Amino acid sequence: MSNTLNQLKSMTKIVADTGDVSAIRRYEPVDATTNPSLILKAAQLPAYSELLEHALTYGKKTGLNKEDQARSACDRLTVAIGKEIQQVVPGVISTEVDARLSYDTEATIKKARQLVQLYSELGADKNRLLIKIASTWEGIKAAEVLEKEGIRCNLTLLFSFIQAQACAQAGAFLISPFVGRILDWYKKTEGRDYTAAEDPGVLSVKKIYTYYKQHDYKTVVMGASFRNTAEILELAGCDSLTVSPNLLNDLEKMDVIVEQKLFAKKNNHHEEKTVLNERLFRWEMNEDAMATEKLAEGIRNFAKDQMKLEQLIMSAL
């Protein structure tokens, strides 16, 4: 019998949630995703020292002052690592916009265009690139503009059904609902453990997946931020799942028979399609304490790691 990871690959696209090329080669995912936290870790790996040097040189040439040089070098390093990953995976690489721009539509659009241009300058395939943007109202509206320009987007830090509805309405290419972080919040708030079948993060993804298929939305659902293999297996059949190397390793060592849990079929019991506006989106987010708290926390943490990366590069400059 094939190991659990290979069984899962037969029914769901597996995506590596890492910036480490060696780990990606090891587990042979179709796609890969990065974020500021993963780029910060990758930047400190010996394997990327040459890319870091090139990024520093680029920053010195293009930046007007030390802070500007550091930001420019960060973008170059992020894209260079993305290009390296692109050469290993057959599919796409997701590269994230600076989290500090999460509430600025125009700045997000500008940064996304810059990242795409950098990929082109490095000779990478910009058609195998997803621009990763936080699922704020401003981020979703930025994605709506970018998608019309042919720049495909991955809407991340997604914790609520209303965020998923807004992303689909905007025509986003892909969403990343965060399973484990939802579970974290409920375990802390309710003071109890959950089985995989009743895991609030898992149930959130199942609801979103069903809604998308019922209404023929083409937006890809990619479950993310897993805490254990049970959560992953409970979402077998989802469009995509992005998984960290340690959990990929666990799945590879397992020989559990994988049962497909999600199917792209319609039934008569489903959520009505909602036409959203900003007022409704913000009100529904306000009413969802978990989504509001986890979105803000996720943006803060990604912003912190972005600043740490800039400090690392600034010291090297």
Side-chain angles (χ1 to χ4, degrees):
M1 183 179 67
S2 180
N3 68 50
T4 299
L5 178 58
N6 285 336
Q7 291 178 65
L8 189 61
K9 284 180 177 180
S10 71
M11 58 189 76
T12 291
K13 182 187 287 188
I14 297 300
V15 180
D17 195 11
T18 180
D20 184 351
V21 169
S22 63
I24 294 169
R25 284 197 181 98
R26 168 77 178 77
Y27 297 106
E28 300 181 336
V30 178
D31 301 332
T33 61
T34 62
N35 61 46
S37 305
L38 296 175
I39 295 296
L40 176 62
K41 290 178 184 176
Q44 298 170 76
L45 295 173
Y48 290 135
S49 59
E50 187 175 347
L51 296 184
L52 179 57
E53 286 301 318
H54 288 316
L56 293 172
T57 301
Y58 178 84
K60 288 174 184 176
K61 286 181 180 178
T62 57
L64 301 175
N65 52 50
K66 201 164 186 180
E67 289 76 15
D68 195 37
Q69 288 174 2
R71 283 192 292 271
S72 185
C74 277
D75 285 347
R76 175 66 178 243
L77 177 63
T78 298
V79 169
I81 291 173
K83 181 190 175 185
E84 290 292 308
I85 294 171
Q86 240 188 24
Q87 294 171 347
V88 179
V89 298
V92 299
I93 172 68
S94 290
T95 296
E96 191 148 353
V97 167
D98 188 336
R100 291 168 293 184
L101 306 179
S102 296
Y103 297 99
D104 188 330
T105 298
E106 290 306 315
T108 296
I109 293 169
K110 182 179 178 181
K111 178 60 72 175
R113 290 169 179 161
Q114 288 173 347
L115 291 172
V116 172
Q117 181 61 33
L118 268 176
Y119 266 92
S120 294
E121 289 174 6
L122 284 179
D125 186 352
K126 65 180 183 181
N127 295 317
R128 290 201 295 125
L129 167 68
L130 301 183
I131 296 297
K132 213 169 173 185
I133 301 169
S135 300
T136 58
W137 178 257
E138 293 80 4
I140 294 167
K141 299 312 286 184
E144 188 170 17
V145 172
L146 292 166
E147 291 283 356
K148 289 174 182 174
E149 294 179 4
I151 298 174
R152 296 186 298 175
C153 299
N154 171 350
L155 273 296
T156 188
L157 292 174
L158 193 147
F159 301 98
S160 72
F161 187 59
I162 199 72
Q163 286 174 292
Q165 288 177 301
C167 290
Q169 184 174 295
F173 178 77
L174 180 147
I175 61 167
S176 298
F178 276 34
V179 178
R181 297 194 196 188
I182 293 176
L183 174 64
D184 294 344
W185 191 91
Y186 278 98
K187 284 177 71 173
K188 182 179 178 181
T189 304
E190 303 292 337
R192 54 163 290 204
D193 290 322
Y194 294 83
T195 65
E198 63 182 3
D199 184 313
V202 168
L203 294 178
S204 174
V205 175
K206 286 184 175 180
K207 180 178 179 179
I208 292 165
Y209 180 87
T210 301
Y211 178 78
Y212 277 18
K213 303 312 174 188
Q214 290 288 347
H215 297 293
D216 293 320
Y217 284 121
K218 304 307 179 188
T219 301
V220 175
V221 180
M222 182 174 74
S225 175
F226 293 104
R227 295 294 177 258
N228 53 65
T229 57
E231 286 180 322
I232 297 167
L233 296 178
E234 195 62 32
L235 291 175
C238 192
D239 297 330
S240 296
L241 299 172
T242 181
V243 185
S244 63
N246 63 311
L247 288 176
L248 288 172
N249 182 57
D250 291 344
L251 288 166
E252 189 179 56
K253 291 179 178 178
M254 293 167 61
D255 57 5
V256 173
I257 296 175
V258 180
E259 178 188 348
Q260 186 165 341
K261 298 297 180 77
L262 296 181
F263 298 88
K265 63 181 181 180
K266 295 186 178 183
N267 56 54
N268 295 324
H269 305 287
H270 61 83
E271 295 277 343
E272 293 297 324
K273 182 183 283 190
T274 302
V275 178
L276 295 176
N277 55 35
E278 183 177 354
R279 180 198 61 77
L280 179 58
F281 178 88
R282 294 198 186 282
W283 176 252
E284 291 296 329
M285 284 296 291
N286 179 74
E287 292 298 281
D288 190 333
M290 177 277 296
T292 297
E293 290 175 26
K294 298 307 287 186
L295 174 61
E297 178 187 74
I299 291 171
R300 281 197 304 271
N301 288 338
F302 281 161
K304 283 178 187 175
D305 283 340
Q306 181 71 30
M307 288 185 279
K308 286 178 185 176
L309 180 60
E310 289 176 8
Q311 286 296 323
L312 178 72
I313 286 179
M314 205 175 293
S315 64
L317 286 166

